[in-house]
Amino acid sequence: MQKAVKTMLALTAVLGATAVQAVSFPIGTYVYAGTLSRYDNRAMTAEDEMTIEAVSTNGNILAVATVTDPDSEGVNFKLEVPVATVATATTAAVGDAPVCVVRSSRGVRAAASEKFPPVLCASAVTNCSIRYAKSMEFPYSGEEKVCIPEDYLANIAALMDEYGHSEYSANADWDGDGQDNYKEFMAGTNPFDASDYLRVTSFSVGETSNMLAFEYVGGHVYALKSATTLTNPDWATQKFSVDSEDAEQQRTTYAAETEYAEDDDVGETQLYVTPVPDATQMFYKVEVK
C-alpha cells in the first residue's frame, strides 16, 4: 500500500514537469470605428475633447483614440486593438469583448454600451455607435420603464425647480400641450413650453403627391407613418422625398442631425409622399425614432 502511494506521487511530479505554458503570437489588428454621440444623438466633435478606450476585462488599456470631427459617414473615432493568439496585458484574443470607456475633461464615465462587440478575427473592421450618456429609469405607461439621460435631467433641472417639480416624471405633461414629458424628450421639445411640440404645421393635396410640413430639431431622426383609417389604424412606414415632389421617393427617415441641422437647431421641412393607389382617404403622422 505504501509503495503504491509513492508511485502515484512520482507520476504526479512528472506530469507537472512536462506542462508547457501557452505562447502568444501577434496576428494583426482589429479596428472599432464608429460614432460617439451625446444623449440627443448629436455626433461629438474635436471641440468636445473626448477620448475613447478599449479596455480588457482585467483593466488593461488595449487601445486609445481621440474623438475627431465626423467624416462624411459620421465616423469620429477609430480604435486599433492589437490581436494575438492568446490575450495578454497589451493584446486581445479572438472572442474577447473589450470594455468601452469614455474620458472627458470632466472625468471618466462608462458609455451606455458597456462592451464593444467581440473581436471576430484579425485585420478586420467593425462599426459601432456609442452614446455618451448615463441614464436613469423611470416608470412609464403602466409597467413599462424608460431611460432618461442624466445630462438631459441636468439641463432642465433649473426649469423643474422654477416650476416646482422636485422629481422627473415621464408620464406627466408639465406644460399641458397634450404631449407627456417622455415624448417631449424624444422629440427634443421643451416640456415647459406649451407652444413647443412635434406637430405637422401644414398639409396640402397635390395631383401626384401630398405635402406635409413639420418643425424638426437638430439631433433627431424622424419617420413618416400613414394609414387609410383612424378606426383601429394600421400605421405603415411611408417612403417620401424631401423638399421637392420631383425627388425620388426612397427615404424612410429624415436624419436632421446630419443633413439639415446642426446641434439643436430648429427648422421646418416639407415631405412629399405618393398616396396609396385607390385610397379614398389618407392619414399621416410624424414620429421620432
Side-chain angles (χ1 to χ4, degrees), residues 1 16 32 66 73 88-89 100 103 107 118 120 126 128 134 172 179 201 205 209 213 216 221 270 273 275:
M1 186 69 176
Y32 292 103
T66 299
E73 297 181 353
T88 68
C100 171
R103 294 182 183 270
L120 299 178
T126 187
C128 50
K134 279 188 174 180
Q179 303 294 313
T201 54
V205 177
S209 296
Y216 62 76
V221 178
Q270 295 178 339
V273 56

Side-chain angles (χ1 to χ4, degrees), residues 172-189:
D173 180 9
W174 285 337
D175 55 10
D177 60 4
Q179 303 294 313
D180 61 46
N181 292 338
Y182 180 66
K183 290 178 181 177
E184 298 239 27
F185 157 69
M186 291 294 293
T189 54

Side-chain angles (χ1 to χ4, degrees), residues 255-271:
E257 79 279 9
T258 59
E259 300 178 56
Y260 301 99
E262 296 180 357
D263 297 342
D264 298 322
D265 288 351
V266 176
E268 186 177 82
T269 190
Q270 295 178 339
L271 306 184

Side-chain angles (χ1 to χ4, degrees), residues 216-232:
Y216 62 76
V217 178
H220 295 266
V221 178
Y222 301 89
L224 180 64
K225 298 292 184 71
S226 66
T228 56
T229 178
L230 293 181
T231 303
N232 299 320

Side-chain angles (χ1 to χ4, degrees), residues 221-256:
V221 178
Y222 301 89
L224 180 64
K225 298 292 184 71
S226 66
T228 56
T229 178
L230 293 181
T231 303
N232 299 320
D234 182 16
W235 293 102
T237 299
Q238 179 71 60
K239 290 185 177 181
F240 56 84
S241 59
V242 178
D243 294 334
S244 172
E245 59 182 325
D246 298 325
E248 184 178 357
Q249 296 183 338
Q250 59 183 7
R251 295 178 177 271
T252 56
T253 59
Y254 178 86

Side-chain angles (χ1 to χ4, degrees), residues 109-131:
R109 292 174 64 178
S113 177
E114 295 183 357
K115 288 186 177 181
F116 285 110
V119 174
L120 299 178
C121 59
S123 303
V125 178
T126 187
N127 294 320
C128 50
S129 296
I130 299 167
R131 296 180 73 184

